[in-house]
Amino acid sequence: MASAILASLFHPSEVVALVQYRLSSKANPDYSNNKTRERLYFFLNMTSRSFAAVIQDLDSEELKDAICLFYLILRGLDTIEDDMTIDLDVKIPYLKTFHEIIYQKGWNFTKNGPNEKDRQLLVEFDIVIDGFLQLKPVYQAIIADITKRMGDGMAHYATAGIRVETIADYDEYCHYVAGLVGLGLSDIFSACGESPMLAERKDLSNSMGLFLQKTNIIRDYLEDLHDKRRFWPKEIWGQYADNIEDLIKPENKEKSLECLSHMVMNAMEHIKDVLEYLNMLQNRSIFRFCAIPQVMAIATLNMLHTNYMIYIRENIKIRKGETVWLMKQTDNINAVAAIFRLYTRQINIKSNPLDPHFVDIGIICGATEQTCVSKYPGSTAELKRLQAGVMAGTSGNVLTAAAVVAGAVVLKGAFA
C-alpha cells in the first residue's frame, strides 16, 4: 500500500481512493461451514486474487459459485495445456475430453511438472468436480460446452502450433482463449435471470473477451518474446519490420511505435461493442463484474499508446491507485461511458500526427465520443466530475495537500 500511495501522490483522487480502500476493505467471506466451498474459494484466491475480488462482489451465491467453478475448470484445462513438460500424446486426449472429465467424481491430475504454478489445483481437482456437480444442470451444461470448445481449440493449437499470420488468425486465437469465456459468462448470466438478449448477442460477448485479450497481448509483447511466443499478427507487424524481434531494436523505434499504434487501433475497434454489451446489463453486481475489467483495459491501452517502454521493460501496468480509483467509479453505464471518453480523449491527444494511424485512431475516438453523448447522455456530467478529480493534482491546490496528508497517514500505519 505504501508504494502504491507514493506512485499516486500527484494523483490525489487515486490517493483518496487508496485510503478509502484501505479503511473499508471487506473481510474475506467465511465458508468454514462448507469445506468444499471453502477449498474452492481458496483456489480461486490462489489462482487470481483480482478475479476473486470481483466474483466475491456478486450478490447471488448461486451465480458466484457458478462463475467460480467456470473459472477454476478453465484454469485447470489451461494448466494442462500450458505445461510444456507434458508430452503431446498425453496432453491432447485430456484437452479433448476435459468436458467429460469434469463429470467424473474423484478425478485428479498429478502429471504436471513440479514448477507449474497451479499444479495443486489439479492435484485436488476432485474438489472442483464435487462443486461442479452441485451446480444446477443448466450451469453444468454451459460450462461443459465452453470447456469442450476451448479444449478443442487448445488441442488444435498444441498440434498445429500458434501461427498468427493474419488479423483473422489473431481474432480466432483471441476467440478461443477469451471470446469463449465471454460467451459462457453471458449464457450463465441469462440462465440466472439477467437479460436473455445477452446470450443471443454472441458478437458482443465475443468482443468483450477480445478487447481484454488484445490489450493483454499488446502489453505482454516483450514477455512473450522472451518466452518465444508470438501473438501479434504478422499482417500488422510485417508492415514495420522484417522480423517481430526487430521491433525492440533502438534503430527501429519510429517503426516500432507505428506498429504499436496499429495494434492499439485494432483493439479499440471493439469499444463500441463493449459499451453496447454493458448497457444491456440490469443487475448492478453483474454490471460491475463485467465493467471493471473493461475500464482497466481502456486505461491500460491509454498507458500503452505511444509508450516505447513496452519494447524495453516487462510487466508494465497502470498504477494500483488508478486501479482502485477506477473500481470505485465503475457503478453504472454513464460512469463507464465517461471513463471511456476520458481515456479515448487522452489517447487521441497523445497520438502523433505523423503516425500513419493518426486519422484512424482519431475516427475511433470521435465515434466513441459521439456514441457516448447520444446513447449515454448522463456520461457528460460524469465526465466533468471525473475530470475535476483527475485534474485536481495538476494545480497544487488544497485537494493535493489533503491527498498527501492522507497518504502520509496510511504510510505511517503501514510502517507502524
Side-chain angles (χ1 to χ4, degrees), residues 302-370:
N302 174 56
M303 177 200 65
L304 295 172
H305 184 48
T306 70
N307 186 355
Y308 188 68
M309 288 303 295
I310 75 152
Y311 297 112
I312 298 174
R313 182 162 56 87
E314 294 183 19
N315 201 30
I316 296 176
K317 295 180 179 180
I318 61 175
R319 296 179 301 276
K320 182 174 181 180
E322 188 172 6
T323 297
V324 173
W325 178 77
L326 284 168
M327 291 176 68
K328 187 171 178 287
Q329 307 305 320
T330 305
D331 203 49
N332 56 70
I333 188 60
N334 286 315
V336 168
I339 290 169
F340 271 82
R341 290 172 70 181
L342 180 71
Y343 284 114
T344 52
R345 285 182 180 187
Q346 292 181 20
I347 287 171
N348 199 33
I349 290 169
K350 289 196 296 185
S351 290
N352 181 356
L354 299 179
D355 186 282
H357 307 291
F358 175 76
V359 173
D360 292 328
I361 288 176
I363 289 171
I364 295 175
C365 292
T368 301
E369 185 80 16
Q370 186 176 24

Side-chain angles (χ1 to χ4, degrees), residues 68-247:
C68 170
L69 285 155
F70 183 41
Y71 177 83
L72 291 177
I73 286 169
L74 295 185
R75 178 54 70 100
L77 176 67
D78 183 66
T79 301
I80 293 175
E81 186 272 338
D82 201 42
D83 191 341
M84 295 298 106
T85 69
I86 303 173
D87 292 336
L88 277 183
D89 59 347
V90 174
K91 181 183 294 187
I92 299 301
Y94 284 115
L95 298 180
K96 288 187 172 181
T97 62
F98 207 73
H99 64 289
E100 298 171 348
I101 288 171
I102 57 178
Y103 286 96
Q104 298 176 17
K105 284 184 69 67
W107 185 90
N108 58 22
F109 186 82
T110 58
K111 298 176 183 178
N112 281 114
N115 297 322
E116 191 63 32
K117 183 173 76 75
D118 294 320
R119 185 181 190 278
Q120 193 61 30
L121 171 66
L122 284 167
V123 170
E124 299 184 49
F125 207 73
D126 54 310
I127 295 172
V128 176
I129 292 174
D130 286 344
F132 172 74
L133 294 176
Q134 292 173 24
L135 295 176
K136 289 182 177 178
V138 63
Y139 296 129
Q140 293 181 21
I142 292 166
I143 294 170
D145 174 60
I146 298 300
T147 303
K148 180 183 188 308
R149 293 159 71 180
M150 189 172 286
D152 286 343
M154 287 178 171
H156 166 73
Y157 286 116
T159 52
I162 300 173
R163 295 183 59 84
V164 186
E165 297 287 329
T166 66
I167 293 174
D169 293 337
Y170 184 43
D171 287 346
E172 181 181 56
Y173 173 76
C174 291
H175 166 74
Y176 275 112
V177 299
L180 283 174
V181 177
L183 267 63
L185 287 172
S186 293
D187 287 343
I188 289 173
F189 295 149
S190 293
C192 80
E194 190 56 87
S195 170
M197 280 294 293
L198 288 175
E200 296 174 19
R201 291 300 306 271
K202 300 189 184 304
D203 55 329
L204 301 183
S205 301
N206 190 56
S207 276
M208 289 281 286
L210 264 61
F211 186 61
L212 299 180
Q213 186 65 23
K214 288 182 175 183
T215 299
N216 290 340
I217 285 174
I218 297 169
R219 182 197 63 200
D220 294 339
Y221 163 83
L222 193 60
E223 179 182 339
D224 289 334
L225 194 68
H226 290 161
D227 290 340
K228 303 188 185 310
R229 297 180 295 195
R230 310 287 186 270
F231 298 119
W232 287 24
K234 188 176 182 180
E235 184 177 341
I236 290 180
W237 66 256
Q239 299 178 40
Y240 311 96
D242 293 330
N243 299 291
I244 192 169
E245 296 86 354
D246 294 341
L247 294 172

